[in-house]
Amino acid sequence: MLPLRPHLGALAASLQLAAQLSPRTRSKVASIFETHSTTEYDADGYASHQGGALYTNELRAAIEEMGYPISDEHLKRLLSEFDADASSALDLLEFTALMARMLGYKELPEE
């Protein structure tokens, strides 16, 4: 069971916003996640996050690639707020919720 965290209501709202992102923007967010994510393995060789995760350094690189400069303190706050499973990393769903919050209803520019 997930530990109760006071900010889960805000996370739920961000997840709803993430569902409203256009397919193109969701695809771009997923692509950035895949580029920067890492897979950590436990002692038995099992992946701790199915599909990879963004730890602090990877999260910084992904956010900066989206065009947002970020301070160490802000990065720590975002990781704490969006890490719903308290794993010290963001999975794709958590990262998409974070990006949805940062983007609001804006779309990413065409490349």
Side-chain angles (χ1 to χ4, degrees), residues 38-42 45-49 52-53 55 58 89:
T38 61
T39 303
E40 297 279 322
Y41 296 94
D42 64 18
Y46 293 102
S48 56
H49 286 90
Y55 294 85
E58 296 85 12

Side-chain angles (χ1 to χ4, degrees), residues 14 25 48 60 83:
S14 295
T25 296
S48 56
R60 174 186 304 283
D83 182 18

Side-chain angles (χ1 to χ4, degrees), residues 73-88:
E73 186 173 317
H74 190 203
L75 184 67
K76 287 177 188 175
R77 275 197 322 268
L78 290 175
L79 183 59
S80 174
E81 181 177 349
F82 285 89
D83 182 18
D85 60 1
S87 63
S88 300

Side-chain angles (χ1 to χ4, degrees), residues 63-75:
I63 290 172
E64 288 176 349
E65 184 173 332
M66 297 289 287
Y68 295 97
I70 188 161
S71 69
D72 289 342
E73 186 173 317
H74 190 203
L75 184 67

